[in-house]
Amino acid sequence: MTALSRSEPGRDCPLCPRLHDFIAEWRQREPSWFNAPVPTFLPPDGDDAVRLLIVGLAPGLRGANRTGRPFTGDYAGDLLYSTLISHGFARGEFKARPDDGLELVGTAITNAVRCVPPENKPVGAEIATCRTFLVPTIAQFPNLRAVLALGSIAHQSTVRALGARIAAYPFKHGGQLPAGGITLFSSYHCSRYNTNTGVLTEAMFVSVFSEIAAFLQK
């Protein structure tokens, strides 16, 4: 079995019954949508080129669950991809659809939970189960130097995936800690709720990527 096959659940992954049933329901309602575990978005140069991995929470119902590409089709993607482009981590034009031609540069994007959860809220067992895919996803990049976790749930799952203790790696926006041979950066999630409420400003988000870019230039 290859690293890629271990790191990606099958289209009809049954491991989380609640999520499986939720997707099945939406396949009936919206048959033209992707409606499946959303795969990791990779750069065209392949695994060896990846030095930064971004870990989100889970696909949005009308975002990645609809389009099949992480952070594509909702506001979070607008902010994320514009920031990636401005810092050289992506190239092209983001048009919120998977055929827009946007390419990642030295970067991969995945989610801690690959399937869309009801109300955007995965439960603990689902997060833990999907970590069986996050662990090999991290391991498949031989030149990985940094992981950016978006939000506390993604942060905690990434810490566990790296074999570290949550107590030793508390979530903090702008955090930067060595863990499992890489450096773990953390940010509030770039959701519309967080930006609308002022929890996360564009300047705060851009600052995190500026720090990551500086780190990767060392």
Side-chain angles (χ1 to χ4, degrees):
M1 185 180 291
T2 66
L4 180 60
S5 63
R6 287 197 305 268
S7 63
E8 299 294 348
R11 178 170 175 81
D12 295 306
C13 179
L15 296 180
C16 300
R18 187 181 74 116
L19 303 189
H20 179 272
D21 292 348
F22 188 61
I23 285 178
E25 174 189 336
W26 277 94
R27 285 180 182 175
Q28 293 292 324
R29 296 171 64 171
E30 297 287 352
S32 65
W33 288 10
F34 185 75
N35 285 321
V38 174
T40 301
F41 185 20
L42 300 170
D45 296 336
D47 293 353
D48 288 355
V50 174
R51 296 196 300 157
L52 168 64
L53 174 65
I54 298 170
V55 183
L57 173 55
L61 177 61
R62 292 175 172 81
N65 178 67
R66 175 175 61 84
T67 64
R69 189 176 74 180
F71 290 91
T72 300
D74 54 26
Y75 172 79
D78 294 343
L79 178 55
L80 175 61
Y81 286 111
S82 66
T83 307
L84 288 173
I85 291 169
S86 68
H87 285 79
F89 293 117
R91 57 177 171 250
E93 185 178 357
F94 177 66
K95 297 181 180 178
R97 63 175 193 264
D99 62 349
D100 56 14
L102 180 102
E103 294 181 340
L104 297 176
V105 179
T107 303
I109 305 174
T110 195
N111 281 305
V113 176
R114 305 297 175 86
C115 293
V116 58
E119 301 180 351
N120 292 322
K121 295 178 181 178
V123 299
E126 293 160 352
I127 298 166
T129 296
C130 215
R131 199 174 305 122
T132 62
F133 301 107
L134 181 59
V135 170
T137 295
I138 294 172
Q140 81 184 53
F141 305 120
N143 298 309
L144 186 67
R145 292 190 60 205
V147 175
L148 170 61
L150 300 177
S152 61
I153 293 176
H155 171 88
Q156 291 173 7
S157 194
T158 300
V159 168
R160 290 190 169 103
L162 292 170
R165 293 171 53 249
I166 296 297
Y169 294 88
F171 174 77
K172 176 186 176 184
H173 177 80
Q176 178 178 342
L177 292 167
I182 58 96
T183 295
L184 176 61
F185 293 81
S186 299
S187 169
Y188 292 128
H189 195 283
C190 49
S191 66
R192 183 181 292 276
Y193 176 82
N194 280 348
T195 55
N196 281 352
T197 58
V199 170
L200 177 70
T201 65
E202 183 175 346
M204 290 167 63
F205 198 59
V206 167
S207 177
V208 170
F209 278 90
S210 296
E211 291 181 6
I212 293 172
F215 169 80
L216 292 176
Q217 288 174 357
K218 294 177 182 177

